[in-house]
Every structure is written in C-alpha cells, then in structure tokens.
Amino acid sequence: MTQPYELTVAAAADAIAAKELSPVELTESVLQRAAETEGALNAFVTRTPEAARARAIEAEREVMAGRSRGPLHGIPFALKDNIDASGVPTTASSSVWADRVPVHDSAVMDRLTAAGAVLVGKTHMHEFAYGLITPQTRNPWASDRVVGGSSGGSAAAVAVGSAAFALGTDTGGSIRVPASFNGLVGLKPTYGVVSRHGVAPLSWSMDHVGPLTRSARDAALVLQVIAGRDPRDPASVVSPHLHRTGQGCGDLRGMRIGVPANYFFEHVAPQVTDAVRRATDQLVALGATAITVTSPLTAYLVPTLWGHVAPEAAAAHEDHLRRCPDLFSDGLRTLLEAGRMIAADDYLRAQRCRTLIRRAWREMFTTIDVLATPTVATTALLRSQSEIRWSDGFTEDVTDGLLRLTSPANVTGLPALTLPIGEDSSGLPIGMQLIGDRLAEPDLLRMSEIYEEALGNGTDAGLRRRSPLSSAFALERAQGE
C-alpha cells in the first residue's frame, strides 16, 4: 500500500485538490518518516513538527473551504540551512552561526508560505556551502558513500520521503551533485531567476537557489512558485516564459540536443558514460535531433570558477574572519584565508575570462537547444575517499572531480538540470545533466518530463521501484554498517 510520504508533489497536489488526501494526513506521514529515518541519515539539523502540524491544519481548512493556493498548498518541504525562515535557526552548519535565529523570511520562504507549503525543517549542509560532501549526513542508497553536497541533507530528506521536496543552493554544483548521487531531479535555474535574498552568500556571482525533487514535474511546480523578480536581490531578473514550465507532453520533434565531443566524457566512469549515451539515444528516439558540438574554452572553466568563488567567499566572511576565526572548521578557515590572498588583478582576469566563456557558450546555443552530459563523472564516492584515480593514471581531488562537469553552468549562469537515468552495477544512481540557454528552463523541464513519461520514471510506482522511498532501506543500510 502506498504511503502518503511516497507521493510525488504532483500526485499529492492532485489528491489534495480532489479532497482524497488531507494536508494533515500527508504532513503526519512525512513527519513519521523522518522519525523513522533520521537516526540513520541525520538529514535535518532542525525539525519543526509542531509548526508544520499547525500549518497543515490551516491548509486543510482552506482546502475544505475551497480556497486553494495552488499545487504546493499543504505540501511538506525542507530548506537547506543557509536559507532563512523566520523564527527557525539558520546555522549554515557552522559554529559561527550557532545561535543565529532570523526574524525575517527569505524571499523563497515568503513565496512558499504564500503558496501554502508546509515547512518541516532545515537540512544539513557543508559548512557555509563551501564543499561537496556534507559529512554529517549519510547517503540513503549506501551509507558508506557520500550523500553529496553542499545540499546533501536536502537530497537525503527527499530521497527517503521525510520531505516531499527541498530547496538547496548551487555555487559549483551543490544542488546537482547530491541530486545525482540520490536519484533525484535537481535544478539550478538561470542566474537571477530565483531570488537569493535571505540566503547566506558564498559567492555572490555564482550562487543560485533551486529545488531538489523526485520528478521533473515536481521541479516545474516548485520553480513556478519560487521564481520571480525581487528588487532585494540585485541580480534578480524577470523570467516571463516560466508560465509554460512543465508542459511535458507530446514528443521532442524540433529539439536539438548537443552531444559534446570534448571535456564532458573525459575521465568519466564507463558505466556513467554508457548510461548517458543510452539516455541520449532515448531522447533521439523520442524525436530530438542529436548534434555533435565542441564545448568552448573548457580548460578555463574550473580555474575561472575558483577565481570568483575564493575571493568572493573570503569577502563575504571578512567580518567573521576578523572577529571569530576559531569558530570556523580548520578546512573552511584555510579556504577563506587563501581567498584573501588572491590579488585584485587576478580577480579581474577571472571576470574577463568569464565574459569570454559566456559569449562562447551563448554562441554554441545558437546551434543547439540543450547540451546533454553526465552530471558527475562517477557515482557516489566512498566516505573515506580523498581523491579520484582514473585508469590512465590521472588523479584529482574529490572536490574538483565532483564539480568538474557541473561548474560550467555556474560560470556561464545558464540553467542546468540533473535527472536520474539508471544505476551502476552497485545499485548507485547515475544522473544526466541537461544544460540550456539563458531562461530555457521550460525546455529542460519539458524534455525531462517527456523522458520520464516514456520510461515510466516519473510515476510514483517507478520512483518507489528504484529508490529508498517504500521501505526501511535507509535505516537498514545504515544499521548494517
């Protein structure tokens, strides 16, 4: 028998609208699921069950009175712990903010509250989002593996059903990496589409806010709520085409898929390569046209990312470094101190390089609609792993290895989505990344929905068949370690 926590956002919204499921019943199911799995996973830093129950009761009253606020009305969700919700601690998983309780909502929390969504808690993350592991949280697919980061707690919560959806942030891949490692859809919107007001900054020119969900349809529903112009975020943009986001019907005729001839399939695990090739072939079978392209200026992508992130993060935490440096973890303090050493002329060179990369990538998108690539070069790594060794002898640091394929979308500011396309021989999820032109979220989501529908992956039955949702999977695996 399907439990309410197993439902996608879309399925739960339909059931609530039809008055076949109450927001209270759904919220209680999700809260119970968290109680069952948290001992094994540690996805949440703060849980808010009583406030969630009160919001669910209010949502139920409104639904029964015919006052629907839309598809997120009564849907339980989680926030990454660098996103403010009034009266709920925001620690960013750091001792620096151990006692911080915001008195105002972030822009995205404002929008979700207005939509009637139900906050169930704040999720663990890599300290101040400066990393791709989230060491506090275990991967529900295999507890000896990293959950990914920095939005790792959000990914784990959605994967097991202790949140119907969650929000994360993405500066170099921090939504897409944990989504890929947990068999989820993760969307990094176009830079500026979702306001970052009330979100702890890491790198103001690279930071994005977006959803982690179990299906592309769910991601579309969440994006329609959280997107929108906000004068409190100076990077905020108008996104007029998002009203057609999530229309995943028909076929892909007329869509041009770029298949990269360079960079994205270099130093990638064979099973990941094979899965992405098969998924691309499926998109072509659904009507799309494959076009081989050369991704431009790839040698400069990761250096350009770090050329922005390191000094901007140091500037964002300048006051903390001066007042309370010992409250940072040793690793983060080292990174921030290193960022302070980057000279202004080097930062300006990085900005010039970024301008050239953006122009070249926008030019590439005049010939294609979507670029299809692996999301991450490998499936979830062992928690004990500090580097990735490839068969040709090439070795890379775990952080660089995990962000190598996701960083292009942060440097360019283009929208990127990861969706699950299968598993490796160990049963670990594999993700495919779709990158689009500026404000092309509708194309990414429509392509993903059509792919899911064709394979049955977007259905609740399909999701339960290949995830930890419908069993004590996470608890059993963690206890077996």
Side-chain angles (χ1 to χ4, degrees), residues 5 25 81 87 98 139 144 151 167 192 198 229 237 262 272 292 316 325 335 347 359 364 375 438 451 470 475:
Y5 74 79
E25 182 183 2
D81 199 32
N139 187 317
D144 62 341
S151 310
L167 295 192
R229 178 81 174 91
V237 299
N262 65 320
V272 173
T292 301
L335 287 170
Y347 180 55
R359 288 176 181 170
M364 179 180 67
T375 305
R438 185 175 182 272
Y451 175 86
S470 60
L475 185 60

Side-chain angles (χ1 to χ4, degrees), residues 65-76:
R67 298 195 302 273
S68 173
R69 301 192 188 194
L72 299 190
H73 201 176
I75 304 295

